[in-house]
Amino acid sequence: MAMTTSHMPRPSFYNSHGIRFSQKPSWFRAQPRTKLNPSVNIKASAGVRKEDIVIVGAGIAGLATAVSLRRLGIGSVVLEQAASLRTGGTSLTLFKNGWRVLDAIGVADTLRGQFLEIQGMVVNSEDGRELRSFKFKDEDQTQEVRAVERRILLETLANELPPETVRFSSKLAKIQSSENGETLLQLTDGTTLLAKIVIGCEGIRSPIAKWMGFSEPRYVGYSAFRGLGVYPDGQPFAANVNYIYGRGLRAGYVPVSPTKVYWFICYNSPSSPGPKITDPALLRKQAKELVNNWPEELIRLIDLSPDETISKTLLVDRWLWPGLSPPASTGKVVLVGDAWHPMTPNLGQGACCALEDSVILTRKLADAIKSGPTAIEGALRAYGEERWPRVFPLTVRANLVGSLLQWDNQLVCSIRNNIVIPKLVRLGPVLEHTNFECEPLKA
């Protein structure tokens, strides 16, 4: 449902939707009219709208940040370039760190009732031989794993926000800084916003990240097919993550609900894979050809997937090298989630880390808003300094795990399947990164 972009004058200390801040941050409304660089003629733009916090991107990172801020009594505007929530994609796996955040922002129980809790993991070779199996609770009684439909997660987060928080069909065309630290955002429809704080959550191709000096995410050498098999009469699988490893090729599937099962296929591919393919029939055909001689249940899953759930994605990441990569913030502009630290899905931590980002940033912003405008930039820097030691190692580790699993050398794969996985891998240390404490957000 498209949201209006009309704007009415606002009383002091209220956000654009009438939500009062938990403390009177008078500096939000009391600053003098912005004086911009000579290149930005704001006086000639009668339609300039002043906003306190603008979040760019209504994906998981953007919506979670908006909900987190609202939990602490702080309003925001979320700009989304699409005409509605972008619910494409299938499912994503959330481990206990992701659920801790969802608990903290008050939406976890709504989601838990809709998705199965995954009990363990089974690893097989391409010929169907079981290499190893684990039970999550045997390794960690506090572990919680569920595969969640992206559409339902986004809708659940959006439903926690006041009407008109998300402004659809609002694509960023240009971003500029002003002399006093505010940021001018120009949209493709001609709308101009002047924001005190900008939070970039636009995903791996973030224009804000590019403006801040970040490099483009790097293709890692393999791509993924994904889909969601639908069993109207009930799916037949136990509540486990199931992996199948081959040479330069792997697949997996995990039950999402009593009637749906998420699947993926990762395969080595050249760095220039050619034009993007969107025809579902062709995508389905290519996916099946990759695993033609693999276990029959995988083939059936692909056949049972509605066209709109099947996709193909080039997998990328960005390594935030210390001293070489820009910081997470520039002035009062900051990045969250994939816009800052895109990572491969090999650890199931992309969405979880974005959720962690959202609550850490929110707490620091809330404290800074109480202190006054001079504290904001320091709070954003502190967020980046706290999160970097967490997200950089996870990005590197996810990449290395993917490289291990995508090996195509016959000898190396034999060692992996017959020695490394059956005898050396321990699940406990593998999942240590899912430890994350997060207290409920309360105004």
Side-chain angles (χ1 to χ4, degrees):
M1 180 175 65
M3 300 292 185
T4 178
T5 57
S6 61
H7 183 79
M8 299 296 291
R10 295 166 292 174
S12 291
F13 318 132
Y14 282 74
N15 71 2
S16 57
H17 309 295
I19 302 172
R20 193 174 182 85
F21 289 95
S22 56
Q23 299 285 334
K24 272 193 175 182
S26 57
W27 63 274
F28 260 49
R29 293 271 66 89
Q31 283 187 298
R33 184 172 180 83
T34 305
K35 181 181 178 182
L36 292 169
N37 296 327
S39 60
V40 183
N41 186 5
I42 190 170
K43 292 182 179 179
S45 304
V48 171
R49 299 165 184 167
K50 299 190 76 173
E51 300 288 353
D52 295 327
I53 300 177
V54 174
I55 298 170
V56 183
I60 294 169
L63 293 177
T65 301
V67 173
S68 298
L69 288 167
R70 177 164 164 74
R71 287 286 179 263
L72 295 185
I74 302 171
S76 62
V77 169
V78 183
L79 305 180
E80 171 52 49
Q81 66 178 4
S84 61
L85 287 179
R86 288 186 289 176
T87 54
T90 52
S91 298
L92 50 99
T93 303
L94 294 179
F95 288 83
K96 71 174 180 180
N97 52 326
W99 289 103
R100 295 296 177 271
V101 175
L102 295 175
D103 276 322
I105 64 177
V107 301
D109 286 341
T110 300
L111 293 164
R112 284 188 177 102
Q114 302 179 67
F115 303 106
L116 299 175
E117 182 169 6
I118 304 305
Q119 303 301 313
M121 177 192 305
V122 179
V123 182
N124 293 291
S125 62
E126 61 190 280
D127 60 6
R129 177 170 56 98
E130 183 176 309
L131 304 177
R132 193 77 178 273
S133 64
F134 305 90
K135 293 294 183 185
F136 291 126
K137 299 292 187 184
D138 289 346
E139 303 291 336
D140 178 0
Q141 283 293 321
T142 67
Q143 187 58 257
E144 181 176 5
V145 185
R146 285 179 170 86
V148 174
E149 286 187 63
R150 176 182 170 84
R151 172 184 62 83
I152 294 177
L153 175 57
L154 291 179
E155 290 173 352
T156 300
L157 292 170
N159 287 340
E160 296 294 313
L161 299 171
E164 300 186 9
T165 297
V166 183
R167 300 181 182 179
F168 294 109
S169 301
S170 298
K171 184 177 182 179
L172 183 64
K174 189 176 182 181
I175 178 172
Q176 284 182 275
S177 296
S178 69
E179 291 179 354
N180 74 339
E182 294 188 353
T183 304
L184 192 71
L185 302 173
Q186 295 178 340
L187 309 184
T188 55
D189 65 0
T191 302
T192 301
L193 296 91
L194 192 63
K196 291 183 171 66
I197 300 169
V198 174
I199 305 175
C201 303
E202 329 99 287
I204 62 175
R205 305 297 178 192
S206 165
I208 295 178
K210 183 176 181 180
W211 175 78
M212 291 170 63
F214 283 90
S215 61
E216 286 293 319
R218 182 183 63 89
Y219 177 58
V220 297
Y222 51 93
S223 301
F225 286 99
R226 296 181 174 99
L228 192 67
V230 177
Y231 295 76
D233 297 324
Q235 52 88 3
F237 302 106
N240 293 316
V241 181
N242 299 275
Y243 292 117
I244 308 169
Y245 294 156
R247 292 173 53 192
L249 179 67
R250 57 188 159 117
Y253 57 91
V254 55
V256 176
S257 71
T259 59
K260 296 178 181 178
V261 180
Y262 165 66
W263 60 268
F264 71 87
I265 299 170
C266 286
Y267 66 102
N268 293 347
S269 58
S271 56
S272 299
K276 183 177 181 179
I277 298 172
T278 57
D279 179 4
L282 184 53
L283 292 175
R284 189 191 309 272
K285 179 175 181 291
Q286 290 182 344
K288 290 175 65 175
E289 286 175 347
L290 284 170
V291 294
N292 185 47
N293 296 316
W294 285 30
E296 180 61 31
E297 62 263 25
L298 181 59
I299 306 297
R300 180 160 174 74
L301 265 174
I302 299 171
D303 285 333
L304 291 174
S305 300
D307 286 351
E308 65 271 17
T309 73
I310 301 177
S311 65
K312 176 184 175 182
T313 309
L314 303 180
L315 300 182
V316 301
D317 65 12
R318 179 193 289 131
W319 291 23
L320 302 174
W321 290 108
L324 298 177
S325 295
S329 64
T330 297
K332 295 174 185 172
V333 179
V334 66
L335 298 175
V336 169
D338 284 347
W340 180 29
H341 48 74
M343 64 181 69
T344 54
N346 300 300
L347 298 178
Q349 285 298 299
C352 292
C353 281
L355 291 169
E356 291 180 14
D357 286 352
S358 70
V359 293
I360 298 297
L361 176 62
T362 291
R363 290 190 196 278
K364 293 189 180 300
L365 266 182
D367 290 341
I369 287 171
K370 296 174 186 176
S371 301
T374 58
I376 293 296
E377 291 189 25
L380 300 185
R381 285 194 300 270
Y383 152 78
E385 290 166 359
E386 178 174 336
R387 293 298 296 158
W388 180 86
R390 169 76 165 159
V391 299
F392 177 52
L394 276 176
T395 302
V396 175
R397 185 176 177 184
N399 182 288
L400 296 177
V401 168
S403 298
L404 167 69
L405 298 178
Q406 291 298 137
W407 277 336
D408 57 8
N409 179 276
Q410 184 174 359
L411 176 60
V412 171
C413 288
S414 178
I415 294 172
R416 179 195 65 192
N417 289 358
N418 293 293
I419 298 175
V420 176
I421 293 175
K423 299 179 181 180
L424 300 181
V425 172
R426 293 175 55 223
L427 189 59
V430 168
L431 294 179
E432 281 182 355
H433 60 263
T434 65
N435 293 322
F436 180 75
E437 297 301 323
C438 186
E439 296 298 320
L441 293 175
K442 296 180 180 178

